[in-house]
Amino acid sequence: MKALLINLDREITRLAFQKTQAERLGYEIERIAAVTVDAIAPPADDQRWARWQRPLRGVEIATLMSHRIAWERVVAEGCAMLVLEDDAWLMNSAAAFLAQLQAASNVEFATLETRGRRKIVGKRHADLPGLRRLYLDRSGAAAYMLWPDGARKLLARADAVPALADAVLVETAGLKRWQADPAQAIQIDMAQRYELSAPIPVASAISSVARPSRGGWRFRVRRIYRQVVMGLIGLRTLFGAQRREVQPASKQEGR
């Protein structure tokens, strides 16, 4: 199996960690050089980037563009591929899980990650008990498996409404989303929350940049619309879906 690794040129420590992790779990890495803010085209102040719920920071646009490169590669390869940001930390059980996941039916996108927030998840997959239908997520684009049909939907959504990369994953209509349960990955900055020792030190490039203004009335209307949509999705909990935080597999592995 091949993993597409999004990695900034300067992040050599993270790259070394990812190479070690890939060797441990038995998959191949194809490195994607992460887009930098100075390479954004059109520039960050162009109105093309003003279609989401709030203005986007340059680093957020660059992250979206980096993921778009990965999505285009999945389409070009014509097969399911693992997409990783360079601070993704996979659990020991991920290798066996991914081997099964590749053969699962009716899946276009499967997130391996948990990030300390509750999600709305549904029934387990018929072919893979460690996979649940995902109805609502709020964050996390560090570790996911993507199929060509799903990649095409994400590309179309990102072209129509450029947004945070994880927001595109969450908001794309018609995407067949699934969640690893227990989660098979976390971002390294979440290690303390899950009582794990981080393998390397990390700092978020996005959180180090000041958040922009929330924008004018058009942005506000979009935010309200999204809140309504999430409220409607939440009604699924009345019919058997669960709203809860997915725990990482490390809790079962004793790491």
Side-chain angles (χ1 to χ4, degrees):
M1 183 183 63
K2 181 179 288 186
L4 302 173
L5 175 65
I6 299 170
N7 171 247
L8 283 166
D9 291 341
R10 66 173 180 269
E11 295 289 359
I12 55 175
T13 299
R14 293 189 184 194
L15 179 58
F17 166 73
Q18 291 296 336
K19 288 180 177 179
T20 300
Q21 177 168 253
E23 183 176 355
R24 171 171 62 88
L25 296 176
Y27 58 83
E28 177 188 352
I29 284 178
E30 177 182 326
R31 180 180 177 272
I32 292 175
V35 176
T36 56
V37 173
D38 60 352
I40 294 172
D45 59 357
D46 189 276
Q47 286 302 299
R48 173 186 175 182
W49 308 114
R51 302 176 192 167
W52 190 54
Q53 300 171 39
R54 65 163 173 79
L56 297 173
R57 293 172 282 190
V59 66
E60 292 168 335
I61 297 170
T63 300
L64 172 63
M65 292 178 67
S66 299
H67 279 267
R68 282 191 93 268
I69 295 171
W71 303 341
E72 289 167 349
R73 287 288 297 125
V74 172
V75 172
E77 288 289 324
C79 62
M81 301 178 77
L82 181 61
V83 180
L84 299 174
E85 293 181 348
D86 60 9
D87 60 347
W89 185 15
L90 274 60
M91 305 293 101
N92 287 332
S93 54
F97 178 83
L98 289 168
Q100 295 176 291
L101 180 58
Q102 283 185 294
S105 60
N106 197 38
V107 182
E108 294 178 342
F109 165 84
T111 180
L112 308 185
E113 183 181 2
T114 187
R115 191 168 172 78
R117 304 186 72 176
R118 293 191 297 173
K119 311 183 182 208
I120 296 181
V121 294
K123 293 182 179 180
R124 294 189 181 276
H125 195 284
D127 302 330
L128 183 53
L131 194 66
R132 285 186 181 272
R133 193 64 188 262
L134 177 63
Y135 295 117
L136 181 63
D137 200 354
R138 292 181 179 270
S139 61
Y144 56 90
M145 183 81 89
L146 185 62
W147 281 253
D149 285 347
R152 293 185 188 95
K153 292 177 182 179
L154 294 176
L155 288 165
R157 172 66 182 185
D159 287 344
V161 185
L164 299 178
D166 47 5
V168 176
L169 299 178
V170 169
E171 297 172 6
T172 297
L175 183 65
K176 297 175 182 177
R177 298 180 188 82
W178 296 80
Q179 167 71 50
D181 183 18
Q184 298 295 331
I186 62 170
Q187 284 181 281
I188 295 172
D189 68 351
M190 296 299 293
Q192 185 174 2
R193 178 183 179 88
Y194 296 113
E195 300 176 345
L196 299 170
S197 298
I200 58 171
V202 297
S204 171
I206 290 180
S207 61
S208 64
V209 179
R211 185 181 292 272
S213 71
R214 293 176 66 81
W217 67 268
R218 289 184 177 86
F219 293 99
R220 180 175 176 81
V221 169
R222 294 168 191 154
R223 290 194 296 272
I224 292 172
Y225 172 77
R226 183 59 191 170
Q227 290 298 316
V228 171
V229 171
M230 290 193 295
L232 293 174
I233 294 173
L235 295 177
R236 288 185 176 274
T237 59
L238 300 176
F239 303 96
Q242 303 172 0
R243 186 192 303 269
R244 62 180 176 83
E245 181 180 346
V246 176
Q247 295 298 311
S250 61
K251 297 294 185 182
Q252 297 179 3
E253 296 170 2
R255 289 178 60 176

